[in-house]
Amino acid sequence: MDNEQLKRQTNGWAVEAKGLVKVYGKERAVDGVDLVIPQGTVYGFLGPNGAGKTTTIRMLATLVQPDSGNAYIFGHDLKKESAAIKSRISLTGQYASIDEDLTGIENLVLISKLMGYTSKQAKKRAMELLAAFGLENAAKRQVKNYSGGMRRRIDIAASIVVTPDLLFLDEPTTGLDPRSRNQVWDIIRALVKAGTTVLLTTQNLEEADQLADRIAVIHQGKIIAEGTSSELKASVGSGILNVQLLHAAEEKRAIAILEKKLGVPVHVASDAISLSAQVQDSSLVAEALGELAREQIAINDFSLGRPSLDRVFLTLTGQSADEQPNVEEGNL
């Protein structure tokens, strides 16, 4: 091992990526991505479908070769030491990869055996995971009869039969109800507390806000912002004014007044009565609201708060995170 390799393996980074590029035909799915992820953290990879999140994960997980650029996983060269990397990582995709015709315990025993456990060890490990993920009562039920939340939990359980140093979680709570989503979040927190590094791709802004120590925003294959949730929110202004009109017919007049008084653009929600503006100088808010009152524009409610991650995403990309392009992320 040379000095440079030793340095990389002891610098505390789980992932170091520089200039990752992947091209499919004329589409640059990933266009020069740089990442530095500390060990023992949750790193959020935030972006809409088609942004390049899944392709980046596939490259880092050694499933797809980058066309240019390179990365190091715990100091191991992505291009030259894939076997060493594979021994330390695990990947859970957007959809369950387990056998739906097998029971929960049969799936976990099978995977444990494939990972080198004896039959006795495999059954013990399977029972440990079922208990840890709250699936003991469903152990002998076929997975095809599991709820969505249960399926995601057992899929994550299957990915940590051998606890990985780095776990790639690609859209882990897609389609889950709030209760199931919170259960998965608790599982992720427990894994990180035990020492696992998690790279979490998501288009769920609340999920990134709740879990991630740092967040990278990816758009059209490029990382356009990176930092903690607080840093990203601070980067787009000091506050957000939200105004709810009583009558949609007053929308245009209200926008004109607010933009004149605040000196910033006003965004309109689809209901035509909810207006919002990024406010740099909060002292202008009272004057703007007073002008609405003088013009007899009725307001149902208003608030001045910190920018949300949704506002960050809208400001950085020009679109809301739920405005999805017509692109299949699985193909990118």
Side-chain angles (χ1 to χ4, degrees), residues 237-256:
S238 59
I240 297 295
L241 173 65
N242 297 292
V243 175
Q244 188 176 64
L245 302 176
L246 191 61
H247 304 294
E250 302 285 5
E251 173 201 332
K252 291 184 179 179
R253 284 208 304 143
I255 290 173

Side-chain angles (χ1 to χ4, degrees), residues 89-330:
I89 67 174
S90 187
L91 169 65
T92 298
Q94 296 180 28
Y95 306 102
S97 57
I98 51 183
D99 191 329
E100 295 190 347
D101 290 324
L102 297 180
T103 65
I105 191 169
E106 287 171 343
N107 266 289
L108 295 180
V109 167
L110 175 62
I111 293 169
S112 297
K113 287 182 177 179
L114 291 173
M115 298 299 292
Y117 285 81
T118 66
S119 294
K120 184 177 180 180
Q121 291 170 335
K123 186 173 182 180
K124 180 182 178 183
R125 181 57 175 157
M127 292 305 298
E128 288 173 349
L129 289 168
L130 289 166
F133 284 73
L135 294 169
E136 289 173 295
N137 293 335
K140 296 183 179 180
R141 192 188 312 169
Q142 286 179 302
V143 171
K144 64 184 177 183
N145 295 319
Y146 280 17
S147 67
M150 293 166 67
R151 288 159 67 99
R152 292 306 288 151
R153 277 183 279 156
I154 198 166
D155 200 38
I156 296 174
S159 70
I160 61 168
V161 165
V162 175
T163 305
D165 293 318
L166 173 61
L167 176 61
F168 297 102
L169 286 177
D170 194 8
E171 307 281 0
T173 61
T174 297
L176 297 188
D177 60 82
R179 180 175 179 272
S180 298
R181 180 189 62 191
N182 287 334
Q183 289 175 333
V184 172
W185 288 357
D186 287 341
I187 289 167
I188 295 170
R189 293 185 182 105
L191 288 170
V192 175
K193 188 175 181 180
T196 296
T197 303
V198 173
L199 177 49
L200 169 73
T201 73
T202 183
Q203 57 190 355
N204 184 321
L205 297 157
E206 183 186 2
E207 184 161 84
D209 214 356
Q210 286 283 332
L211 295 176
D213 297 290
R214 297 188 70 82
I215 300 168
V217 180
I218 185 169
H219 183 57
Q220 297 179 347
K222 298 177 181 289
I223 291 179
I224 57 176
E226 197 271 352
T228 66
S229 177
S230 296
E231 288 169 347
L232 291 175
K233 291 173 183 177
S235 72
V236 300
S238 59
I240 297 295
L241 173 65
N242 297 292
V243 175
Q244 188 176 64
L245 302 176
L246 191 61
H247 304 294
E250 302 285 5
E251 173 201 332
K252 291 184 179 179
R253 284 208 304 143
I255 290 173
I257 290 170
L258 290 173
E259 288 187 338
K260 181 179 179 180
K261 292 295 182 181
L262 298 174
V264 295
V266 172
H267 300 279
V268 187
S270 57
D271 61 10
I273 63 172
S274 299
L275 312 179
S276 63
Q278 179 182 317
V279 181
Q280 299 293 342
D281 184 355
S282 58
S283 66
L284 298 176
V285 171
E287 185 178 341
L289 294 175
E291 185 65 17
L292 290 177
R294 284 189 290 273
E295 292 295 323
Q296 297 184 334
I297 297 176
I299 295 175
N300 189 44
D301 193 16
F302 75 90
S303 64
L304 179 63
R306 293 182 61 199
S308 65
L309 275 182
D310 194 24
R311 173 60 57 182
V312 172
F313 198 86
L314 178 62
T315 301
L316 293 173
T317 69
Q319 68 181 75
S320 176
D322 58 5
E323 294 175 8
Q324 304 302 325
N326 187 24
V327 178
E328 290 293 332
E329 174 77 11

Side-chain angles (χ1 to χ4, degrees), residues 26-61:
K26 297 180 179 179
E27 182 71 39
R28 291 179 74 85
V30 176
D31 191 10
V33 162
D34 299 338
L35 287 174
V36 177
I37 302 176
Q39 295 180 27
T41 64
V42 178
Y43 194 90
F45 213 31
L46 178 65
N49 285 340
K53 303 188 304 296
T54 295
T55 302
T56 302
I57 291 294
R58 289 175 175 172
M59 286 190 283
L60 295 175

